[in-house]
Amino acid sequence: MDFLTLFLIYLCFVLTTVALLCICSGRKESFLARSVDGASQVLSFVIPTQLQRATQRVLHRLFHTRSCLFVVLHIALQAAVYGEYTWEVFVYCWELQFHLLPLLLPYLLLAGNMGCFVLCSRADSGIITKSNHASLVKIYAYDGVLFQKGIVCPTCNMEKPARSKHCSFCSTCVHRFDHHCVWVNNCIGAFNAKYFFLYLFTLSAMAATIAIITAAFLIQVVLLSNVMHGSYIDDQGREHAVEILFLIQHLFLTFPRIVFMLGFVILLTLVLGAYCCFNLYLALTNQTCNEWYKSRRSGCSHHLTLQPHDRRVVYKNVYSKGVWMNLKEIFKPPTALESKKK
């Protein structure tokens, strides 16, 4: 087996491992995590040590430190999609006399999305410092299950306010910590959660709009060509009526880049749409991603159980104030003064 083949096998394994570890995040002792760890140990006997160390350094750089790589990838993907949309889909749709406003809608969404992206990546997420610690610790009460009073962050050497968490990427504690987003290269916390929510919404809308316009163009091409009423001859010389599979193959051969882009943005719309709905659910129930994961683990973690061992803690979200107030809190985070009035 040559070195290139060995490297490709190892690279595939590493990428699979990263995906599985992302799924296993927050479940340190899960069966899947143990399986990945066992497979890593087995392959460590086959893969050269230098290659292992180089891969570990690269993965640590990508997934455990702040890096602009995903930001560059994010911009490159947007540029590729909009380049294809502009030079082919937009031109073809204009020739077919589509209305101008729907064709310009993706550009309007792009402008809004880039604005939210800049604000989300550059804004203060809610970094806890010695100067603002006293005011931030008064905003939220400790629930006694997910957040305990008196827990000190060993890195920042400060007591953790309720709903805060230390981010290993940024090496700071963040107020109302949600998660660290590699795509904006910043933490999502109390003060930039509104920008992230709008960024995610406009990104989903962009993908959906481009997918709809592109699909409408291809449908119009099919209707104008009248190909659905035709037939084709297979390899054995038999005549068949045009089917969906043949139609897709025909469109792919005629507009390969457009069909490939359509498949990509449809997949992106489904993934982003699901994630957008999940974030909307968290906003309406006044939860963060960090709290959602921790609450799922608290039901089976004995060290969080404050009752006898034969009974498990039933976690109750004490921070929810109703749908409207929960949504308002995203766009106007409470201050210590407002917390005292309540």
Side-chain angles (χ1 to χ4, degrees):
M1 183 180 294
D2 61 350
F3 178 77
L4 180 59
T5 304
L6 190 64
F7 175 75
L8 291 175
I9 293 174
Y10 183 60
L11 182 61
C12 292
F13 169 75
V14 167
L15 294 175
T16 305
T17 301
V18 170
L20 292 177
L21 288 177
C22 290
I23 297 173
C24 295
S25 60
R27 301 178 180 179
K28 297 180 180 178
E29 299 300 326
S30 68
F31 172 77
L32 194 54
R34 291 196 301 269
S35 301
V36 170
D37 184 60
S40 301
Q41 293 178 2
V42 171
L43 284 180
S44 64
F45 295 104
V46 182
I47 305 301
T49 305
Q50 293 181 345
L51 182 57
Q52 292 182 43
R53 292 174 180 173
T55 305
Q56 289 173 358
R57 286 195 296 268
V58 171
L59 292 178
H60 182 270
R61 175 67 179 170
L62 291 177
F63 297 99
H64 296 282
T65 59
R66 295 191 70 175
S67 172
C68 293
L69 177 63
F70 287 96
V71 175
V72 174
L73 179 60
H74 166 266
I75 296 174
L77 288 174
Q78 276 193 338
V81 170
Y82 270 86
E84 179 60 26
Y85 174 78
T86 301
W87 297 114
E88 291 205 86
V89 177
F90 184 92
V91 174
Y92 288 144
C93 288
W94 181 253
E95 291 176 355
L96 292 174
Q97 298 182 344
F98 277 57
H99 291 291
L100 182 60
L101 184 58
L103 296 180
L104 293 179
L105 184 58
Y107 299 106
L108 299 176
L109 290 171
L110 176 64
N113 179 259
M114 292 307 297
C116 294
F117 170 78
V118 172
L119 290 172
C120 188
S121 59
R122 304 297 295 176
D124 174 23
S125 58
I127 296 175
I128 301 173
T129 62
K130 293 187 182 297
S131 60
N132 64 12
H133 176 269
S135 60
L136 294 179
V137 78
K138 299 175 184 178
I139 295 179
Y140 294 112
Y142 294 93
D143 62 1
V145 179
L146 300 184
F147 304 103
Q148 311 270 354
K149 186 176 179 59
I151 303 297
V152 177
C153 175
T155 304
C156 301
N157 197 25
M158 291 185 295
E159 181 183 3
K160 291 184 177 181
R163 311 192 78 179
S164 68
K165 186 180 184 298
H166 182 84
C167 176
S168 59
F169 291 84
C170 304
S171 297
T172 56
C173 284
V174 178
H175 174 54
R176 199 183 183 277
F177 177 85
D178 192 275
H179 70 287
H180 182 92
C181 181
V182 296
W183 298 104
V184 300
N185 198 27
N186 197 9
C187 284
I188 308 303
F191 302 143
N192 67 345
K194 54 181 175 291
Y195 302 132
F196 179 75
F197 185 81
L198 294 174
Y199 160 77
L200 189 60
F201 176 78
T202 53
L203 193 63
S204 304
M206 281 165 48
T209 303
I210 292 177
I212 292 172
I213 294 174
T214 306
F217 159 69
L218 293 176
I219 291 173
Q220 186 74 353
V221 169
V222 170
L223 294 177
L224 291 175
S225 63
N226 206 27
V227 68
M228 286 299 295
H229 299 286
S231 60
Y232 68 96
I233 307 298
D234 62 12
D235 296 335
Q236 285 75 33
R238 291 174 295 185
E239 185 176 359
H240 298 275
V242 172
E243 301 170 347
I244 296 298
L245 182 60
F246 175 84
L247 182 61
I248 294 174
Q249 293 175 345
H250 172 71
L251 289 174
F252 185 78
L253 292 174
T254 309
F255 308 103
R257 291 189 298 272
I258 294 179
V259 174
F260 181 81
M261 184 195 72
L262 177 60
F264 175 73
V265 292
I266 288 177
L267 178 62
L268 202 61
T269 301
L270 295 176
V271 173
L272 290 174
Y275 188 52
C276 194
C277 291
F278 175 66
N279 274 266
L280 179 60
Y281 160 75
L282 294 179
L284 295 178
T285 56
N286 205 331
Q287 296 183 82
T288 64
C289 284
N290 178 52
E291 292 165 3
W292 186 84
Y293 284 120
K294 290 179 70 173
S295 66
R296 294 303 178 275
R297 291 185 303 180
S298 65
C300 57
S301 299
H302 293 291
H303 67 281
L304 290 176
T305 302
L306 304 179
Q307 303 177 23
H309 291 291
D310 58 340
R311 298 175 61 191
R312 294 187 299 178
V313 170
V314 178
Y315 172 71
K316 181 181 179 181
N317 181 16
V318 300
Y319 304 113
S320 180
K321 308 179 186 68
V323 171
W324 172 247
M325 293 302 296
N326 292 341
L327 192 61
K328 182 181 177 181
E329 187 171 312
I330 296 295
F331 294 92
K332 187 183 178 182
T335 61
L337 183 62
E338 292 174 348
S339 182
K340 283 184 178 180
K341 289 181 180 180
K342 295 176 183 179

